[in-house]
Each structure stands twice: as C-alpha cells, then as structure tokens.
Amino acid sequence: MHRLLQRQLKRYIGSTDLPQEWQAFLSAIDAAYQQTDDDRALLERSLELTSQELLDRNEQLRQRREELEKMVQERTAELEYRTIQLQTAAEVARDATTVRNLDELLNRTVVLVRERFGFYHTAIYLADDRNRFALLMAATGKAGQQMLAGEFKHKLDESNLVGRVIQTGEAYLNLEMDDTTEGPSTPLLPETQSELILPLRVADKVIGVLDAHSREANAFNPEIRSVLQILADQLATAISNTRQLT
C-alpha cells in the first residue's frame, strides 16, 4: 500500500485494517497514488532531458548561425569579386571604343586585368605581319618590363605555349605547375603556379593571345575563365578596329 495512503488511513480512520468490502476501493486509490508517483518521476526525468536537449539545441543553433554568417561572408566576397570582374570587362569594352592608340589600349588592359584580378603577371602578344613570331606588346611587372626591353617574342609554332595557342586557336590552361606539367610560358616568371593563355580571335583568325599568370594554384576557375574570355573577345575586336584606323 502506498505510504501516503497508509498515513491518511491512520490519521482519519485510525487503522489500515479495513473491512473486505473496502479493499477494491483502497486498491484503486493505491493504484492512483502509484500512478501519480510514476507520472511525477517521468515528468522530472523529462524536464532533465528537456533541459539538456535545450542546451544541445542552443549549441546546434549557435554553430548553425556561425556557419550561415560564414556562408554569407563568403558569398558576399564572391559577389564583390564577380562585380569587379564584370566591371573590368566593361572598362575594357569602354576603352575599346574610346582609346585610339594601340599601345595605350594594350597597356591599359594588362594593368587593369592584373590589378582587378590580382594576377602575378599579365601580357598581350600579337602575331607579326608575316606570321612568324608572336611579339610581346604589353606586360606587367618588372619581368614584363625586362621582356619588353629585350623585345621578347615567341615563334609561331608548337615549340612554345603562346605560339601553339595562336596556331591552334585553342586556349591553354594549367591549374597547377609541377615537374610533370608544361609551363610557364616564360622562365622569367618562376613564381607562376597557374597560367591561362586565351586566343585573341577576330572572325576565324587568331591575331594574338592574352596571357595571365597567378601565384596561386587553381586560380582560374570556370567563372574567371568565362569573364576573361569575354574580355579577350572584346580586346581582339578593339585591336582590329584600332589597326583599321591607323
């Protein structure tokens, strides 16, 4: 018999020894008390579990919030970088319609591309009139100035990367330089870890290349390659138009 029921019987009746006809009633009351104790114990246990679950849930929410904040920051940085890329392409397109001097156009382009994309080196090569050499026309950095001063050029054949791109019209991409890969296109840029060479095409003719180097491996993701290809196409048209005016 439940202890509380025993105390109540002793207090109000004076004994727990009741007639037989009371036993069914007492059993029901005793069962109700026992069920109440069981329910209370379950509730207390549930509250303990709920408290821990709340703590765990709060920790999960905190971690999720940090993850979302990081994702937002990364996405914001990506959008800002994408905006810069598109602005660069737009500026090249604008220069293509306003700059009438070829040297100025090429120099402005390589500097703009290098600064906006954060590249190690950017250069433009154009095929000469006899289609024998790819002449370096504009380049950035100290190495670029040395190459320009030395009238750097590549043969238009498959013995070198620049010549090969001009001959085949197919872009060259190396996302990670190592001993097993070909490149960079010039030994004067030893810090190159990835390189992209895009053809400058006017109609069916390749007139030169845009050559970009990065100190970072895997620097040229599909999005960047797409923007640079648009830029290269705009530049090729601008070069062709400028030549026609001179």
Side-chain angles (χ1 to χ4, degrees):
M1 183 180 292
H2 195 277
R3 287 179 296 177
L4 177 59
L5 180 57
Q6 290 178 0
R7 290 198 303 270
Q8 289 174 332
L9 289 173
K10 288 179 181 179
R11 180 177 179 182
Y12 295 107
I13 298 178
S15 172
T16 59
D17 187 16
L18 297 177
Q20 183 65 36
E21 59 267 22
W22 285 71
Q23 294 304 314
F25 179 64
L26 291 174
S27 295
I29 297 175
D30 182 63
Y33 282 178
Q34 293 290 351
Q35 184 63 49
T36 300
D37 285 350
D38 291 343
D39 290 345
R40 182 185 298 111
L42 181 60
L43 177 60
E44 291 174 351
R45 178 59 178 160
S46 298
L47 289 173
E48 292 177 1
L49 292 174
T50 301
S51 297
Q52 185 59 47
E53 289 173 354
L54 285 172
L55 290 174
D56 293 342
R57 183 59 176 167
N58 285 336
E59 177 62 19
Q60 293 174 2
L61 290 172
R62 184 190 65 79
Q63 294 177 358
R64 181 57 177 164
R65 184 179 66 251
E66 291 179 353
E67 292 174 357
L68 289 173
E69 289 175 351
K70 183 178 179 181
M71 290 172 60
V72 169
Q73 291 173 354
E74 292 175 349
R75 185 56 179 162
T76 299
E78 290 175 2
L79 289 173
E80 289 176 349
Y81 187 50
R82 176 66 171 172
T83 299
I84 290 174
Q85 294 172 353
L86 294 175
Q87 286 176 345
T88 304
E91 288 186 43
V92 171
R94 183 194 63 200
D95 288 347
T97 60
T98 59
V99 178
R100 301 305 181 191
N101 181 278
L102 181 60
D103 290 338
E104 182 184 355
L105 174 64
L106 301 183
N107 286 322
R108 285 168 63 99
T109 299
V110 294
V111 170
L112 192 63
V113 171
R114 182 194 181 191
E115 290 180 349
R116 295 294 178 83
F117 288 84
F119 293 153
Y120 169 38
H121 173 82
T122 305
I124 294 172
Y125 293 85
L126 296 180
D128 66 5
D129 294 336
R130 300 174 64 184
N131 277 332
R132 294 180 57 195
F133 294 98
L135 308 178
L136 179 64
M137 303 299 295
T140 60
K142 291 182 178 180
Q145 296 308 308
Q146 292 175 5
M147 294 160 66
L148 287 167
E151 298 183 350
F152 193 79
K153 59 187 177 182
H154 289 288
K155 287 184 177 181
L156 285 186
D157 57 33
E158 297 203 10
S159 65
N160 65 89
L161 297 174
V162 170
R164 184 187 310 167
V165 171
I166 293 177
Q167 278 206 328
T168 65
E170 297 180 0
Y172 166 82
L173 174 65
N174 190 336
L175 291 176
E176 189 168 2
M177 299 288 178
D178 56 38
D179 294 337
T180 64
T181 61
E182 188 177 13
S185 56
T186 172
L188 295 176
L189 299 166
E191 297 180 47
T192 296
Q193 291 300 311
S194 53
E195 181 178 9
L196 176 65
I197 306 176
L198 293 172
L200 300 176
R201 193 190 309 273
V202 177
D204 295 330
K205 183 179 180 181
V206 178
I207 61 173
V209 299
L210 173 65
D211 183 18
H213 297 243
S214 175
R215 290 188 175 93
E216 299 179 5
N218 302 304
F220 301 101
N221 61 40
E223 202 170 66
I224 291 178
R225 297 202 300 268
S226 176
V227 173
L228 288 176
Q229 185 61 68
I230 293 172
L231 190 151
D233 292 341
Q234 293 173 336
L235 179 61
T237 301
I239 292 171
S240 178
N241 292 339
T242 303
R243 282 175 166 174
Q244 292 176 9
L245 294 174
T246 57

